[in-house]
């Protein structure tokens, strides 16, 4: 589904780790076939979408970085907004009776890895 971030505050990195056969991504007017272990870096405010027609499990690491053209004050402001949103989400998740939120997933997965040997 085509989508884009609300601002140009971040660069998004997609690193395909597994299941790249049949995987492609469009950013703006450019579409690329994904290649295992090769990053795609783009401004999240650009319209983008991904497709996967493969049969293997697909694993894609996604990382966000502050846009390098932001000033220190802008990064500080956006960081404050993000922390406030996360705090609000946490409070709301404690009041919601379903388990369809980030903090429920975090709680459920605590203890899955018993040691660092699993890495």
């Amino acid at each position: 589904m085509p989508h884009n971030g609300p601002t140009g505050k971040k660069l998004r990195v997609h690193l395909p780790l597994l299941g790249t056969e049949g995987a492609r991504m469009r950013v703006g007017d450019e579409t690329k076939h994904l290649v295992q272990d090769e990053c795609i870096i783009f401004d999240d405010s650009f319209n983008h979408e991904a497709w996967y027609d493969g049969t293997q499990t697909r694993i894609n690491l996604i990382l966000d970085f502050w846009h390098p053209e932001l000033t220190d004050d802008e990064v500080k402001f956006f960081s404050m907004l993000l922390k406030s949103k996360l705090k609000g989400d946490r409070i709301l998740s404690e009041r919601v009776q379903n388990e369809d939120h980030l903090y429920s997933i975090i709680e459920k997965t605590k203890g899955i890895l018993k040691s660092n040997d699993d890495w």
Side-chain angles (χ1 to χ4, degrees):
M1 173 175 286
H3 60 280
N4 53 281
T7 70
K9 71 181 184 292
K10 65 184 173 186
L11 296 182
R12 176 151 284 179
V13 177
H14 279 243
L15 175 58
L17 301 174
L18 187 66
T20 55
E21 187 175 329
R24 51 201 194 289
M25 182 170 196
R26 178 190 60 78
V27 178
D29 295 330
E30 187 174 347
T31 301
K32 291 188 174 193
H33 289 271
L34 300 182
V35 177
Q36 186 171 321
D37 300 329
E38 288 188 17
C39 290
I40 293 179
I41 303 171
F42 61 95
D43 183 323
D44 185 56
S45 67
F46 286 47
N47 190 271
H48 55 280
E49 61 186 318
W51 303 273
Y52 183 59
D53 301 321
T55 57
Q56 185 181 15
T57 298
R58 182 179 143 221
I59 299 175
N60 195 42
L61 178 64
I62 300 173
L63 304 166
D64 291 332
F65 295 92
W66 294 120
H67 197 290
E69 293 178 4
L70 291 176
T71 66
D72 289 345
D73 286 340
E74 289 169 328
V75 169
K76 191 175 188 179
F77 174 74
F78 284 126
S79 295
M80 185 262 322
L81 285 180
L82 181 58
K83 287 177 188 174
S84 297
K85 180 186 181 311
L86 290 172
K87 286 180 184 178
D89 288 350
R90 178 67 187 237
I91 291 167
L92 185 60
S93 72
E94 292 169 354
R95 296 181 183 166
V96 173
Q97 296 302 312
N98 69 43
E99 297 182 351
D100 187 25
H101 53 77
L102 172 66
Y103 294 99
S104 174
I105 295 168
I106 291 169
E107 289 300 319
K108 286 180 186 178
T109 57
K110 280 183 180 176
I112 287 178
L113 297 178
K114 303 297 182 196
S115 72
N116 285 334
D117 295 339
D118 296 321
W119 293 98

